[in-house]
Amino acid sequence: MTAVESLRDETNVAAPAQQADVRLDGVTKSFDDVVAVDDLTVEVPKGSFFALLGPSGCGKTTTLRMIGGFEEPDAGAIFLGDRAVTGLPPHKRDVNTVFQSYALFPHLTIFENVAFGLRRRRIKGKQLAGRVHEMLGLVDLHGMDQRKPRQLSGGQQQRVALARALVNNPQVLLLDEPLGALDLKLRKQMQLTLKQIQHEIGITFVHVTHDQEEAMTMADTIAVMNGGRIEQLGPPEDLYERPRTSFVARFLGASNLLPGTVEENGRVRLRSGHVVEVSDGAVERGTEVAVGIRPEKLRVGGEQLANRLRGTVAERSYVGVATQYIVSTADGTLTLFVQNAEPGAGSLEPGADIDLSFDPEAAFVVDHTQEEDT
Amino acid sequence: MTAVESLRDETNVAAPAQQADVRLDGVTKSFDDVVAVDDLTVEVPKGSFFALLGPSGCGKTTTLRMIGGFEEPDAGAIFLGDRAVTGLPPHKRDVNTVFQSYALFPHLTIFENVAFGLRRRRIKGKQLAGRVHEMLGLVDLHGMDQRKPRQLSGGQQQRVALARALVNNPQVLLLDEPLGALDLKLRKQMQLTLKQIQHEIGITFVHVTHDQEEAMTMADTIAVMNGGRIEQLGPPEDLYERPRTSFVARFLGASNLLPGTVEENGRVRLRSGHVVEVSDGAVERGTEVAVGIRPEKLRVGGEQLANRLRGTVAERSYVGVATQYIVSTADGTLTLFVQNAEPGAGSLEPGADIDLSFDPEAAFVVDHTQEEDT
Amino acid sequence: MSVAAQRLPVAHRRTGVWAFVKRHFLTAYAIGAFVYLLLPIAVVIAFSFNDPKGRFNYVWQGFTLDNWIHWNAVPGLQDAVVLSLEIALLSSLIATALGTLIALALVRYNFRGRGTTNLWIFLPMSTPEIVLGASLLALFLNLHFATGFATILIAHIMFNISFVVVTVKARLVGFDVHLEEAAMDLGADPWTTFRKVTLPLIAPGILAGGLLAFALSVDDFVITYFNSGSEVTFPLFVWGAARVGAPPQVNVIGTAIFVIALAAMAANILIQARRSKHAKGMA
Amino acid sequence: MGRRRGSTPYLLLGPGLAWLAAFFLVPLVLLAYQSLQSGSFDFGYQFTWEFSNYWDAITNYKTQLIRSFVYAGLATLLALLISYPLVYWIAFRGGRWKNLFLLAIIAPFFVTYLIRTLAWQNILADQGMVVGILRDLHILAPDGRLLATSTAVVAGITYNFLPFMALPLYVALEQIDPRLLEAAQDLYASRLRVFLRVTLPLSLPGVFAGTLLTFIPAAGDFINAQLLGTPNQHMIGNVIQSKFLELIDYPAAAALSFVLMAFILVGVAAYSRALGTERLTG
Amino acid sequence: GGSDDGEGAAGTTTSSGQQQLAKTLMFSNWTLYIDIDPKTKKPGTLQQFQQKTGTTVRYFEDINDNATYFGKIQRPLSQGQSIDRDIIVLTDNSRFPGLLIDKGWAEKLDKSAIPNISNLQASLQHPSFDPNRDYSLPWQSGMTGIASNLKLTGTPVTTMDDLLENPKYKGKVTLLTEMADTMSLVMLANGDDPTNVTDASFDKAYDRIKAAVDSGQVRQFTGNDYTGPLSRGDLACCMSWSGDVVQLTQDNPNLKWNLPETGGDIWTDNMLIPKGGDAYTASAFMNFVYDPKIAAQIAAYVTYVSPVKGAREEAMKIDKKVAANTLIFPDDETLSKVKIFDSKALTNQDYLERWQTVIGA
Ligand SMILES: Nc1ncnc2c1ncn2[C@@H]1O[C@H](COP(=O)(O)OP(=O)(O)OP(=O)(O)O)[C@@H](O)[C@H]1O
Ligand SMILES: Nc1ncnc2c1ncn2[C@@H]1O[C@H](COP(=O)(O)OP(=O)(O)OP(=O)(O)O)[C@@H](O)[C@H]1O
Ligand SMILES: [Mg+2]
Ligand SMILES: [Mg+2]
């Protein structure tokens, strides 16, 4: 409780809490030997949609739990708005969480689960029922309001968890994989719903997801975490087009990384001796780097593009939208996708020689040394 | 238990269980008022990778639970191999399950969780430790073997659940969204692992997933469930290219469905009066249908293709690999993707007129009436 | 941790007294409750060092260790205590086993007569001790079953069962059945599933039931008296002795059991803790 | 709840119920037989379907019956109030010492009832410190006392049945998933609300078990009233005691016992319906 | 009958008509109610008896309440089953010794084997439940009188009137649960004869006690659990047994015991031979403990009143202080003031029930 009292005072002097946003300042949390979150500093602007991406076990949930007030940071401070909330109990934070493990109340009906937060705020009768049913409608759970959680399917439970948090219109909503158990169709639908709610009520979302497309399409800002630290933070396009580390490059969608040495600005000599042009040239001469190129940016044949590579088709597999080729070259094996709609998309047999080319604009350079750490 | 006895006898007469595969024959299961699985009949060939797709709450888990022996079907019979297993308790079925809710043993360490099944088979000492650690290695959980489940992150727990089932090399493996909580990179890695194991040991996989790409790339056969029934069953390409119902069409990736009437074989008059050619013509004249076309099969401009549509760009959004356009036409709004790698991919501003065309081969016809039921 | 150390003081500087009270209220309460529970024991312990000249150990006379040194000076006391402990251990063990099984059946299975059984379980508890003891004696006599150790044991098990059943049931309700399913799925037969999964998870319930049974048994007077034949348990002895006095040795024995039990439990806990630490170490 | 049928449940019930049948049910039948006898010890009893025994039992000892239930009820309530926070603390803050604390709860039973009570008499003596303080605080009249009052009797029952409340409570509390409490807090529930809306409901099975384990034996208790009460505090247990031992009126004693049991069973049934834990406790 | 291993049970008659002692004697007594040899920590008397006669006494301290013990043994006895005892000890302020005899559940003493019976105190020779001592012999006796805590009373309380009516002692008084004890003292105070109870005298006493209870004058009816409160000072004065006070005074000199001026009550723990017991061996044992030496040895240890004449003189040799204690060896003047309660009244169901209601049950 210690901080609580002091905070009461603080809030009086502090600016009105409306302009709440989330700020973590050098936050660290370890569980006995494991460092779950390591000196994390990040700022989430009010009303923005902030996505937290990262490999399993990198500290996403722990971060959310600290914002929600379920874990005390070992070090560092957390701010909601201008208000340092370290030590403030969860129920005093205008933050709601969709828990990764749902944490639905087994003894309450779906209705009561969703109504829980509202009741705490003395909302009653028609108004209560109205909002609850509206919310259950939004998550497609009509007519299940009298069931108990254990009578629901996984996805249905997850949607209840979502509804239970959303119905309160908090300043900040923490979502820990809120859609992970939903099928694509429903997930898209929910994504739209979330976006709408965000626009309408201007909630700040902190969204943990494993679905990169989800992050890409929904988030204003994405932070890629790794081992308790933030590896790169920025708008979706940047992270995808200009990953700063090979970890990010690999983490966001498949990447082809070709090791080489910087010749002179704009030019990299690959292991095979072959030289390729790259657009961003701010790398010092002689440094070991890797040239990155997204599979879908590799074109088959096509003299039209500056950089060329030769190889032979090792594998071909069908992935709905496109055909995926694994091509082995002197600089390592590359993956590429060819749109099936393109003429003769699936035509190349394994073993066939293949000419590949890519635009310097489409390539990016990451420090090669980092390649190991993934 | 009564049924068990009778089964004991049966097994004696039955063929050797090796050639196990899973067969459900008119299986029905309802929970009080809800019919979770409705007269389901399906056959999973031995050693095949069978994916179960379907919207949340359609009965996937219930189906798995009946195969695993945790629920008794109200009607119908279940066979493992040639052996009717109705009433056979779970531990007598050579089937292992990865539970959607993990169901890890909270009182046992990770090691003991994974070792549980092996110990039941009297495997001890070095051999036991060896296999457990190998498996923990496969799921990237080195050095966590002495932790308790609650000390793991969501994804780590899920991997333990996976390891716990895999380590036993059962005849049939039931996976209920085994990779749902993993990030793309890890998920891909696990997918490969699963595929390998399947090839090496020839396990039969029944795999519930929400990740369509996962289903597409991994499964030999996909069954799309809806409301406890199987809507369509077949190899991935078929389902994607030739969905038989609009539900399947919509469920597997976005689809543009244009309502119209069959003019004469191969030709459909859309609402706007515009006529388009379609390849599969086995539909009777005059029937109300919908012409389906995948977003990525729609080309911008391009006189080269038989069918054309006019419209104006309503929305444009960026989705990493491609740019997504929402186009409104006389026959309804269409979605299409343009590869960013294509020249001038993202160039069209909202409001601009746009010419679309598609190949009759790329289009499919589904009965229009079904459109509602989604 | 060093980082943590830096900011902890910050937290503490802001600690008001009221805040402190608020945070530690529950703990304070718990301590209070334990004082209330153990106060009489404290007195008993104190008076085990009393040095009364007469046979009544009521008024503080002075400190002495004699009672402890000559703890078995009172004839019959030692045997009585040993008998009581034997009975209490055996009866609580058996009753716990039987009771747990009943609880499992009642919570886990639907069967004809479940409701009735549920109610019947409460009957032995609601039967006044005297009549219960007496009619049980009648039964033994009609069977020409010599009363003694065996009959005491039988009686104690009988009235312990219900308490165990009710306690264990409270644990079984809300047990996550999926865990048992998982065990079965991994090839564990029902018995193994029970041993490896159910049992460890409901252990607190069973322990609690066992403790209750032990407490009941070790403290029972009426029912025991009727069926004890010529055996004398600790409570019987004390009630008898009370007529001519309460020798301090009674306090000594009581204290001893109390201390030994707690010490044993503490040791057990510490050992387990060390083991688990050791296991972690190996990892 | 109840899942597979078949013989298993009966196998599980078998040993325990057999035991109860042999060593409880049979004596109970003898008792029932006795309760319908008439006559006197000196001239012997005959079985005469003497239902009047029951009628007399109810009419003559209304007061003691009611008193028993009132005292037992009060004691149960007190025990609940006292032990809930305690076991809550043990369950959520007890750490690895949980079991030690549990043992400490039943520890008073190691010294037998008489010694315990003597100790209490020592603590609550009219000349003792406690009473002194209470008198100074004017909670007690200057000549007021604690021993040999209804307060003493209820307090005695409370103390001696506390473990029967505490342990089942602990059992239920100990298995509550803390994540649920977090979720409740996340939804603006103050500590009190979390307790009322989540912890308490989830611990109901424990409350149910505890209250019954306390109330039922307490209602039949006689020893506390005998040692800590005046003649005006005697309970139905004392009546049965004296009927059986002093007056050697076995039929009356038996009839009274059955009346007591009947009341209790009806109570239990009603209670479990009311609390809705029939469903919970299976 | 006889020992539980059945051997040498009932005294057998040899050809010569000479009686033989059984190998073992089964003796049930109250807890801590026999002398303990400080060296062997075993009952000295029993050892001496064995040395003298070769009969081992199996000694059970399994009696701790007359009613409860009777409730326990009555069923086998009523079914004609033996209870495996040769001697049991019951108190005559309860109805049970009489009941045992009336029901024919007691064996006659073999007086030929008890020459020492002549040492029985005169005042104890003709109790109404066994006028000629055909079935019973006293083990120890005790007197019921008034104990006062001088701290609170100042001077010893010597009348039942103070006890029952003096407001000074309101709520600081206890009476005894046993009808015989309380009734006889009240009757004596009323000027009635407790050895021959009439409805009139009973009603008179009953009403007086009831009044005292209702007024709150009487705090509790007790067994010997008055001892604690008395010595702690919760009680000003109470009805109490001489033997207890002997012990209590050692710790609390402020306690004083005396007979009411109007006279007191004497009760006796009687040795009886339950049906199936070995009368001859039992009698032989009784004879042994009626040897003044032995009697003195027992009395000196248990500090109750010895029923044996001459025990006092013998006690002189053991422990002068004890011998001088009139609570253990009352003088004849005291003995003349104590009465034995009418045993007919003790078996009067109506009296008993009314008594039970007044003491609360
Ligand atoms: N115990 C139960 N009682 C009542 N209804 C249930 C129960 N379990 C499942 N259902 C219902 O049965 C239907 C199928 O449930 P199931 O768990 O099989 O769905 P699912 O396909 O696994 O969904 P998801 O993809 O969300 O896990 C759902 O509508 C669910 O609400
Ligand atoms: N209670 C705990 N005790 C010990 N270690 C823990 C505990 N909780 C989490 N960890 C560890 O801290 C790290 C971060 O956990 P966290 O749950 O934040 O990961 P995450 O990013 O949410 O992973 P996921 O995507 O799989 O949920 C993990 O390595 C995990 O093993
Ligand atoms: Mg997580
Ligand atoms: Mg499911």
Side-chain angles (χ1 to χ4, degrees), chain A residues 17-53:
Chain A
Q18 285 88 293
Q19 39 166 292
D21 59 5
V22 184
R23 211 172 91 235
L24 280 73
D25 187 350
V27 169
T28 300
K29 177 73 185 178
S30 9
F31 301 97
D32 27 274
D33 50 346
V34 195
V35 180
V37 172
D38 183 359
D39 187 21
L40 190 75
T41 299
V42 32
E43 184 143 345
V44 181
K46 171 167 177 29
S48 74
F49 198 117
F50 184 90
L52 209 50
L53 244 62

Side-chain angles (χ1 to χ4, degrees), chain C residues 51-59 61 70 72-76 134-135 137-139 141-142 144 221 224-232 235-237 239-245 247, chain E residues 30-33 36 41 58 60-66 68-69 71-72 75-76 79 81 85 91 224-225 227-228 231-232 243-245 247-248 250-252 267 269 300-304:
Chain C
D51 186 14
K53 298 180 197 58
R55 289 207 194 95
F56 291 99
N57 183 18
Y58 292 142
V59 188
Q61 293 300 316
H70 308 299
N72 62 350
V74 183
S135 32
L137 172 62
L139 173 69
L141 290 171
N142 296 342
H144 295 281
F221 171 68
T224 311
Y225 188 73
F226 275 94
N227 300 283
S228 59
S230 49
E231 300 285 351
V232 177
L236 264 53
F237 183 91
W239 281 90
R243 184 193 195 221
V244 289
Chain E
W30 297 66
T31 317
L32 305 184
Y33 208 28
I36 298 300
K41 300 238 181 304
R58 291 194 55 202
F60 305 96
E61 297 187 315
D62 58 358
I63 305 180
N64 45 31
D65 174 68
N66 290 299
T68 320
Y69 187 70
K72 176 170 164 177
R75 198 176 288 271
Q79 291 177 1
Q81 293 180 31
R85 294 292 184 276
T91 320
N224 80 323
D225 43 317
T227 46
S231 49
R232 269 194 301 271
D244 293 338
V245 180
Q247 294 298 329
L248 290 174
Q250 299 182 28
D251 290 328
N252 183 348
W267 51 265
D269 284 329
Y301 185 87
V302 302
T303 68
Y304 278 78

Side-chain angles (χ1 to χ4, degrees), chain A residues 312-359:
Chain A
T312 53
V313 176
E315 271 184 47
R316 176 180 62 177
S317 64
Y318 183 94
V319 290
V321 185
T323 306
Q324 166 182 343
Y325 288 100
I326 309 292
V327 178
S328 50
T329 72
D331 294 293
T333 58
L334 305 180
T335 317
L336 71 148
F337 294 111
V338 182
Q339 287 298 304
N340 297 335
E342 291 179 10
S347 60
L348 286 158
E349 296 298 328
D353 282 357
I354 182 170
D355 274 325
L356 302 174
S357 59
F358 62 93
D359 182 344

Side-chain angles (χ1 to χ4, degrees), chain B residues 2-301:
Chain B
T2 54
V4 184
E5 313 314 322
S6 58
L7 279 160
R8 291 256 179 59
D9 320 336
E10 253 180 64
T11 49
N12 304 344
V13 297
Q18 285 88 295
Q19 37 167 295
D21 60 5
V22 183
R23 213 173 87 234
L24 281 73
D25 188 349
V27 169
T28 301
K29 175 75 186 178
S30 17
F31 301 97
D32 25 279
D33 51 346
V34 195
V35 180
V37 172
D38 183 359
D39 186 21
L40 189 76
T41 300
V42 31
E43 185 143 343
V44 181
K46 169 163 179 34
S48 72
F49 199 116
F50 185 90
L52 211 50
L53 245 62
S56 173
C58 70
K60 303 181 295 294
T61 298
T62 310
T63 309
L64 290 197
R65 286 176 57 78
M66 285 190 289
I67 301 174
F70 312 119
E71 305 272 4
E72 285 299 315
D74 301 338
I78 298 174
F79 298 84
L80 294 178
D82 306 353
R83 178 177 176 189
V85 293
T86 333
L88 192 67
H91 67 279
K92 294 225 175 72
R93 308 184 180 196
D94 190 5
V95 173
N96 284 122
T97 314
V98 178
F99 292 85
Q100 190 171 15
S101 57
Y102 314 159
L104 301 179
F105 304 124
H107 60 297
L108 298 180
T109 60
I110 302 311
F111 182 96
E112 285 305 327
N113 264 279
V114 178
F116 194 94
L118 297 175
R119 289 198 189 279
R120 299 289 80 70
R121 309 234 223 87
R122 307 261 168 290
I123 296 171
K124 293 203 181 60
K126 282 223 169 345
Q127 198 193 355
L128 178 83
R131 286 180 63 176
V132 171
H133 282 117
E134 178 196 14
M135 194 46 72
L136 286 175
L138 277 180
V139 296
D140 254 13
L141 287 177
H142 287 292
M144 304 207 172
D145 51 358
Q146 285 312 315
R147 290 213 210 151
K148 292 287 178 73
R150 60 180 159 64
Q151 297 176 302
L152 295 185
S153 78
Q156 289 165 337
Q157 291 180 15
Q158 190 171 46
R159 282 177 277 161
V160 175
L162 189 60
R164 188 178 65 174
L166 278 175
V167 76
N168 305 294
N169 307 337
Q171 286 171 347
V172 181
L173 196 56
L174 308 176
L175 305 112
D176 200 344
E177 307 196 23
L179 311 175
L182 305 182
D183 55 279
L184 183 62
K185 194 145 162 302
L186 197 51
R187 192 152 67 239
K188 289 239 178 292
Q189 183 184 327
M190 291 299 140
Q191 288 172 3
L192 287 179
T193 316
L194 288 179
K195 268 298 204 190
Q196 266 167 1
I197 292 176
Q198 188 209 9
H199 285 138
E200 287 164 12
I201 327 175
I203 298 179
T204 309
F205 278 69
V206 180
H207 184 120
V208 169
T209 175
H210 287 136
D211 179 341
Q212 301 179 13
E213 196 190 327
E214 189 169 293
M216 290 283 187
T217 45
M218 299 182 76
D220 314 321
T221 320
I222 295 180
V224 176
M225 279 184 78
N226 184 22
R229 302 164 162 285
I230 285 187
E231 190 98 7
Q232 187 173 350
L233 182 148
E237 295 82 353
D238 281 15
L239 266 71
Y240 190 81
E241 300 271 313
R242 297 255 165 280
R244 229 180 291 112
T245 68
S246 53
F247 173 83
V248 176
R250 289 158 181 279
F251 189 76
L252 295 182
S255 277
N256 300 303
L257 292 182
L258 311 169
T261 328
V262 176
E263 283 259 301
E264 65 205 47
N265 286 4
R267 305 184 131 276
V268 174
R269 177 176 301 280
L270 303 180
R271 294 274 165 82
S272 63
H274 184 80
V275 175
V276 294
E277 283 177 27
V278 293
S279 62
D280 63 352
V283 199
E284 201 191 279
R285 191 151 194 269
T287 38
E288 290 287 299
V289 297
V291 175
I293 171 78
R294 296 284 177 199
E296 72 277 4
K297 304 259 171 121
L298 279 171
R299 322 286 300 131
V300 181

Side-chain angles (χ1 to χ4, degrees), chain D residues 205-216:
Chain D
V207 177
F208 178 79
T211 40
L212 288 180
L213 288 193
T214 312
F215 181 85
I216 293 175

Side-chain angles (χ1 to χ4, degrees), chain A residues 56-62 64 100 176-177 208 210, chain B residues 152-155 181:
Chain A
S56 171
C58 70
K60 304 182 292 296
T61 299
T62 309
L64 291 198
Q100 191 170 15
D176 200 345
E177 307 197 21
V208 169
H210 286 136
Chain B
L152 295 185
S153 78

Side-chain angles (χ1 to χ4, degrees), chain C residues 18-242:
Chain C
W18 172 233
F20 183 85
V21 172
K22 256 173 90 182
R23 186 202 281 147
H24 296 292
F25 174 76
L26 193 58
T27 314
Y29 183 101
I31 294 170
F34 270 120
V35 170
Y36 162 71
L37 269 171
L38 299 182
L39 198 54
I41 305 289
V43 176
V44 170
I45 295 179
F47 275 79
S48 75
F49 295 102
N50 189 16
D51 186 14
K53 298 180 197 58
R55 289 207 194 95
F56 291 99
N57 183 18
Y58 292 142
V59 188
W60 185 257
Q61 293 300 316
F63 181 88
T64 175
L65 287 174
D66 299 355
N67 310 324
W68 284 85
I69 298 161
H70 308 299
W71 61 277
N72 62 350
V74 183
L77 179 53
Q78 186 183 350
D79 307 347
V81 170
V82 172
L83 177 65
S84 268
L85 290 180
E86 286 172 357
I87 298 274
L89 276 175
L90 277 174
S91 66
S92 52
L93 279 179
I94 300 174
T96 308
L98 299 179
T100 305
L101 294 184
I102 297 183
L104 275 167
L106 287 177
V107 176
R108 287 307 177 67
Y109 296 89
N110 264 322
F111 54 91
R112 209 176 286 99
R114 172 144 150 274
T116 343
T117 320
N118 257 317
L119 215 52
W120 265 97
I121 289 302
F122 293 108
L123 264 188
M125 285 193 267
S126 50
T127 316
E129 288 186 306
I130 323 134
V131 288
L132 192 52
S135 32
L136 191 55
L137 172 62
L139 173 69
F140 290 137
L141 290 171
N142 296 342
L143 300 176
H144 295 281
F145 196 118
T147 51
F149 186 92
T151 49
I152 303 178
L153 190 58
I154 290 174
H156 282 215
I157 293 170
M158 182 269 290
F159 65 70
N160 276 341
I161 287 181
S162 313
F163 288 85
V164 176
V165 173
V166 177
T167 312
V168 174
K169 264 170 70 185
R171 179 68 172 200
L172 278 169
V173 178
F175 179 94
D176 179 6
V177 186
H178 287 82
L179 296 176
E180 285 174 339
E181 290 178 352
M184 289 242 196
D185 179 68
L186 293 164
D189 54 57
W191 170 233
T192 317
T193 306
F194 177 74
R195 246 176 49 247
K196 298 285 176 189
V197 177
T198 319
L199 199 57
L201 289 172
I202 64 171
I206 295 178
L207 176 72
L211 285 175
L212 275 186
F214 187 92
L216 274 168
S217 171
V218 86
D219 197 37
D220 178 75
F221 171 68
V222 178
I223 298 181
T224 311
Y225 188 73
F226 275 94
N227 300 283
S228 59
S230 49
E231 300 285 351
V232 177
T233 63
F234 188 42
L236 264 53
F237 183 91
V238 173
W239 281 90

